């Protein structure tokens, strides 16, 4: 196989990989749902009156009630911090709106990014409460109507507590406290249950994320972003559970700790229950499959008469910041999904972040890391171009073989193998080095696609956002020109006329592909090509100096 074919192989492999990724998202096999573990069964036997996951209450309110608290029994509480702008409905104490005050919708817009919202066409809310025999959220009278001292709170220090209180005439008091922190997107939710009823009270914590299924679509073939749910257990570090999965079969997992989440491009919402307790993870689909829900129920608790107890969980609503997510919960940072080459992507991103901290510009950091990667891979590049140079030097002898054997392919193949052996040339020598570089390219592709740090990160002049395509297609065109120059530096030795035409048009086809790629990735590929051009000229000059003709 002539080494020049490796360019076509790389392009074909890359496009095939993207097509496979998109097919997996749309039509791939669904995970098998395991039966509920014995731990959940044992809990049910202790308190057989505790509602199971399928009985966790829905909001039971209209969209208008959710947004503005127009119900006669409920209202909304507005909470503002330097990272979050949140609306809490006192009916159940759900977070029905959350804007990220440190993230704009668009680069040139002052409108803040809305992660949670209660709009009818794009519902996405975070619900939580207490179920069980005596849980207020499992009451036949509907979810509890909490009371609050104020309808507006603003964080002025390092921490802000927003208490909501519900009590019965019989002596049961529940205080649901939301705790917000300065410059953070996490919200701690704490329940203090005080039992003055004279009888034991049985309760169980739950929390869930509810979202409309038909919403903003995932990216296309070249931007295969994921929108859907995911979870983690003590046996499964990270698993996606798509809306189609939820529609087909409800998730039922029992785990120590764990978490549940809803994902979209760059952002995530996640409920994180206590890691020391046994929690039951579940999903639900509405009757008409309009909404999908993922959540958890905690361990059943008994509060004896005259006693009180506390329950807690954490809600994260913000960007997919790997460091923050890693510190918040085990494996939550895996929601930054780098695909099968995550083991390459993660150290590359760490290096990129380190470089950016020094140079102060993500585009410059990309150029620097490209120089580092190409420098580290120089031995492979040299082996590739030495092999390609030797192959071109053999062209007169190969032409003589073709003239001698004509259309006898068997004798031609045997003659070529003898020639390769005699001249000590490996015909695959130019292909393998390029194939070894493919995982690094794909790893960087997902770094640029998934890392929120590149969102709205500028470079210079017209490149104001490295996470989206070049608005004027300058970088893709320059990349295509660099590929054309590389092609001229390495003229094809392919004999088949059809393959020759495909090879000649390869720079054009790759340019078209790269029109939709993130500008950061195109910048990497362009700089990589320019470095390769320089390295190839140096390598060929050395070979010419040693008497090996390379042209």
């Amino acid at each position: 196989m002539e080494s020049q074919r490796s360019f076509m192989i790389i392009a074909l492999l890359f496009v095939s990989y993207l097509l496979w990724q998109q097919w997996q998202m749309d039509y791939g096999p669904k995970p098998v749902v395991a039966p509920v573990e014995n731990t959940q069964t044992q809990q049910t036997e202790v308190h057989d009156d505790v509602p199971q996951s399928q009985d966790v209450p829905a909001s039971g309110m209209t969209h208008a009630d959710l947004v503005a608290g127009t119900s006669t029994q409920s209202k909304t509480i507005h909470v503002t911090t330097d990272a979050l702008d949140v609306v809490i409905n006192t009916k159940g104490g759900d977070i029905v709106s959350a804007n990220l005050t440190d993230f704009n919708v668009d680069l040139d817009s002052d409108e803040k990014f809305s992660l949670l919202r209660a709009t009818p066409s794009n519902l996405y809310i975070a619900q939580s409460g207490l179920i069980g025999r005596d849980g207020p959220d499992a009451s036949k009278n509907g979810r509890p109507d909490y009371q609050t001292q104020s309808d507006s709170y603003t964080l002025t220090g390092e921490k802000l507590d927003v208490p909501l209180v519900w009590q019965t005439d019989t002596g049961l008091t529940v205080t649901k406290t939301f705790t917000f922190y300065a410059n953070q997107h996490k919200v701690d939710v704490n329940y203090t249950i005080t039992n003055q009823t004279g009888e034991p009270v049985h309760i169980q914590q739950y929390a869930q994320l509810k979202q409309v299924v038909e919403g903003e679509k995932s990216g296309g073939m070249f931007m295969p972003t994921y929108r859907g749910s995911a979870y983690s257990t003590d046996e499964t570090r990270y698993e996606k559970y798509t809306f189609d999965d939820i529609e087909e079969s409800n998730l039922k997992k029992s785990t120590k700790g764990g978490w549940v989440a809803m994902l979209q491009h760059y952002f995530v919402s996640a409920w994180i229950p206590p890691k020391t307790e046994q929690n039951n993870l579940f999903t639900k689909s509405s009757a008409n499959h309009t909404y999908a829900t993922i959540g958890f129920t905690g361990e059943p608790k008994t509060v004896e008469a005259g006693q009180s107890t506390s329950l807690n969980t954490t809600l994260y609503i913000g960007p997919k910041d790997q460091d923050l997510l890693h510190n918040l919960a085990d494996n939550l940072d895996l929601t930054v999904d780098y695909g099968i080459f995550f083991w390459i992507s993660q150290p590359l991103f760490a290096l990129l972040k380190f470089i950016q901290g020094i140079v102060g510009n993500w585009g410059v950091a990309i150029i620097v890391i490209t120089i580092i990667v190409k420098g580290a891979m120089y031995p492979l590049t040299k082996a590739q171009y030495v092999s390609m140079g030797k192959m071109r030097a053999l062209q007169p002898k190969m032409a003589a073989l073709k003239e001698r054997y004509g259309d006898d392919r068997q004798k031609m193949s045997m003659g070529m193998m003898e020639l390769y052996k005699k001249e000590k040339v490996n015909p695959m020598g130019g292909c393998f080095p390029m194939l070894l570089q493919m995982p690094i390219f794909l790893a960087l592709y997902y770094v640029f696609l998934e890392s929120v740090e590149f969102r709205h990160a500028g470079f210079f002049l017209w490149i104001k956002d490295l996470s989206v395509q070049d608005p004027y297609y300058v970088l893709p065109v320059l990349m295509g020109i660099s590929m054309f120059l590389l092609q001229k530096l390495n003229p094809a030795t392919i004999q088949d006329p059809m393959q020759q035409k495909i090879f000649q048009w390869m720079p054009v086809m790759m340019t078209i592909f790269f029109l939709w790629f993130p500008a950061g990735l195109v910048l990497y590929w362009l700089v990589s090509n320019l470095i390769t051009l320089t390295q190839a000229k140096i390598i060929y000059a050395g070979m010419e100096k040693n008497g090996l003709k390379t042209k």
Side-chain angles (χ1 to χ4, degrees):
M1 174 182 177
E2 291 89 343
S3 57
Q4 282 80 0
R5 294 184 187 179
S6 55
F7 286 104
M8 288 184 288
I9 292 175
I10 292 293
L12 179 60
L13 286 175
F14 180 60
V15 175
S16 298
Y17 175 77
L18 293 177
L19 287 170
W20 176 81
Q21 285 282 90
Q22 190 67 30
W23 184 90
Q24 284 290 103
M25 292 174 60
D26 295 337
Y27 307 108
K30 309 302 180 185
V32 178
V33 179
V36 180
E37 288 82 346
N38 292 334
T39 51
Q40 188 178 13
T41 304
Q42 293 169 357
Q43 291 174 358
T44 305
E45 292 173 352
V46 175
H47 298 288
D48 56 5
D49 53 348
V50 174
Q52 299 304 299
S53 60
Q54 63 268 25
D55 299 320
V56 173
S59 80
M61 291 181 290
T62 67
H63 293 295
D65 290 338
L66 286 167
V67 177
T70 54
S71 168
T72 56
Q73 295 181 315
S74 68
K75 64 178 183 179
T76 58
I77 306 167
H78 188 199
V79 183
T80 305
T81 75
D82 42 18
L84 293 169
D85 186 347
V86 166
V87 175
I88 303 172
N89 195 293
T90 58
K91 183 75 170 181
D94 296 333
I95 295 182
V96 297
S97 175
N99 294 337
L100 310 185
T101 57
D102 48 352
F103 286 87
N104 293 341
V105 174
D106 298 310
L107 183 62
D108 299 321
S109 170
D110 293 330
E111 182 183 356
K112 300 307 177 182
F113 185 85
S114 174
L115 187 57
L116 302 183
R117 58 262 168 183
T119 54
S121 61
N122 212 11
L123 181 73
Y124 185 5
I125 59 177
Q127 301 177 289
S128 57
L130 301 174
I131 54 175
R133 189 189 69 185
D134 303 301
D137 288 273
S139 170
K140 294 181 180 179
N141 297 323
R143 303 185 66 202
D145 295 303
Y146 287 97
Q147 304 299 312
T148 182
Q149 295 180 350
S150 175
D151 58 4
S152 179
Y153 293 83
T154 301
L155 184 146
T156 56
E158 293 298 315
K159 189 174 75 168
L160 171 65
D161 290 330
V162 179
L164 285 72
V165 181
W166 174 84
Q167 54 188 356
T168 66
D169 296 335
T170 58
L172 177 63
T173 301
V174 175
T175 302
K176 183 177 184 178
T177 303
F178 294 86
T179 301
F180 298 82
Y181 301 90
N183 299 308
Q184 294 191 39
H185 293 91
K186 79 167 183 175
V187 182
D188 288 333
V189 182
N190 178 270
Y191 300 90
T192 300
I193 302 99
T194 303
N195 180 16
Q196 300 294 337
T197 64
E199 299 289 338
V201 169
H202 301 294
I203 56 172
Q204 184 180 22
Q205 180 179 199
Y206 89 95
Q208 62 187 28
L209 297 161
K210 182 178 182 181
Q211 184 172 187
V212 68
V213 172
E214 292 297 330
E216 182 181 351
K217 298 298 183 181
S218 301
M221 183 180 75
F222 298 114
M223 296 283 285
T225 56
Y226 175 72
R227 177 178 174 267
S229 68
Y231 66 91
S232 177
T233 69
D234 49 10
E235 294 182 351
T236 304
R237 297 176 63 205
Y238 167 69
E239 188 72 37
K240 293 177 182 176
Y241 209 76
T242 68
F243 292 147
D244 287 340
D245 295 332
I246 295 175
E247 181 179 337
E248 292 178 7
S249 179
N250 285 333
L251 173 72
K252 295 179 182 179
K253 294 284 185 180
S254 182
T255 178
K256 181 82 72 174
W259 50 261
V260 293
M262 286 286 188
L263 312 180
Q264 64 189 69
H265 197 199
Y266 294 133
F267 299 99
V268 56
S269 63
W271 281 110
I272 307 163
K275 62 167 54 179
T276 59
E277 295 188 6
Q278 196 74 19
N279 303 296
N280 300 315
L281 313 186
F282 67 88
T283 61
K284 296 186 299 178
S285 180
S286 60
N288 57 0
H289 305 302
T290 302
Y291 304 107
T293 300
I294 187 167
F296 79 89
T297 56
E299 292 181 353
K301 304 288 184 179
T302 299
V303 186
E304 299 295 340
Q307 301 294 315
S308 64
T309 191
S310 293
L311 301 174
N312 61 83
T313 185
T314 296
L315 172 66
Y316 179 84
I317 36 180
K320 294 180 183 177
D321 186 307
Q322 295 177 67
D323 292 337
L324 291 177
L325 296 176
H326 174 74
N327 294 329
L328 199 58
D330 294 339
N331 305 315
L332 189 57
D333 58 320
L334 295 181
T335 55
V336 183
D337 194 348
Y338 286 146
I340 61 174
F341 294 114
F342 70 92
W343 50 280
I344 303 177
S345 296
Q346 289 178 341
L348 282 176
F349 174 75
L351 179 58
L352 258 172
K353 194 172 182 180
F354 173 77
I355 296 171
Q356 192 274 340
I358 297 174
V359 301
N361 184 291
W362 282 105
V364 176
I366 290 172
I367 294 174
V368 173
I369 200 174
T370 307
I371 295 172
I372 293 174
V373 170
K374 293 299 293 184
M377 300 187 70
Y378 178 73
L380 287 176
T381 303
K382 184 176 181 180
Q384 170 191 337
Y385 280 95
V386 167
S387 176
M388 293 170 71
K390 290 181 177 179
M391 287 291 292
R392 280 201 304 276
L394 290 181
Q395 289 309 300
K397 295 182 180 180
M398 293 179 67
L401 285 176
K402 184 172 179 62
E403 186 176 344
R404 180 187 306 173
Y405 296 118
D407 296 331
D408 192 332
R409 296 197 175 190
Q410 184 175 0
K411 290 184 178 180
M412 179 67 180
S413 298
M414 293 178 62
M416 289 173 61
M417 294 304 295
E418 291 178 2
L419 180 62
Y420 292 150
K421 185 176 181 180
K422 179 181 178 181
E423 300 292 338
K424 298 180 180 179
V425 173
N426 181 5
M428 300 295 290
C431 186
F432 283 141
M434 292 195 71
L435 292 177
L436 290 175
Q437 296 179 55
M438 195 61 187
I440 295 178
F441 173 75
L442 287 173
L444 280 170
Y445 172 76
Y446 277 100
V447 166
F448 299 136
L449 184 67
E450 279 286 305
S451 302
V452 70
E453 288 79 0
F454 287 98
R455 184 179 186 266
H456 298 172
F459 179 31
F460 76 101
L461 297 179
W462 73 96
I463 304 296
K464 297 181 179 180
D465 190 347
L466 289 165
S467 68
V468 299
Q469 66 192 53
D470 183 338
Y472 302 111
Y473 307 114
V474 175
L475 289 180
V477 171
L478 291 177
M479 189 280 304
I481 294 173
S482 68
M483 283 196 68
F484 175 77
L485 294 176
L486 273 174
Q487 190 181 81
K488 287 298 182 181
L489 185 64
N490 304 293
T493 60
I494 302 171
Q495 301 298 320
D496 182 75
M498 180 59 70
Q499 292 186 17
Q500 285 181 349
K501 289 182 179 180
I502 295 175
F503 183 74
Q504 290 171 356
W505 282 95
M506 186 57 63
V508 177
M509 290 187 290
M510 291 300 290
T511 299
I512 294 174
F513 288 146
F514 273 70
L515 292 177
W516 290 275
F517 282 10
L521 185 71
V522 184
L523 176 63
Y524 164 77
W525 196 260
L526 169 61
V527 175
S528 178
N529 282 354
L530 295 177
I531 295 173
T532 301
L533 271 169
T534 304
Q535 290 176 337
K537 285 185 173 293
I538 294 173
I539 293 167
Y540 285 158
M543 294 172 66
E544 293 277 358
K545 188 176 180 180
N546 293 329
L548 180 60
K549 186 177 181 182
T550 60
K551 297 181 180 179

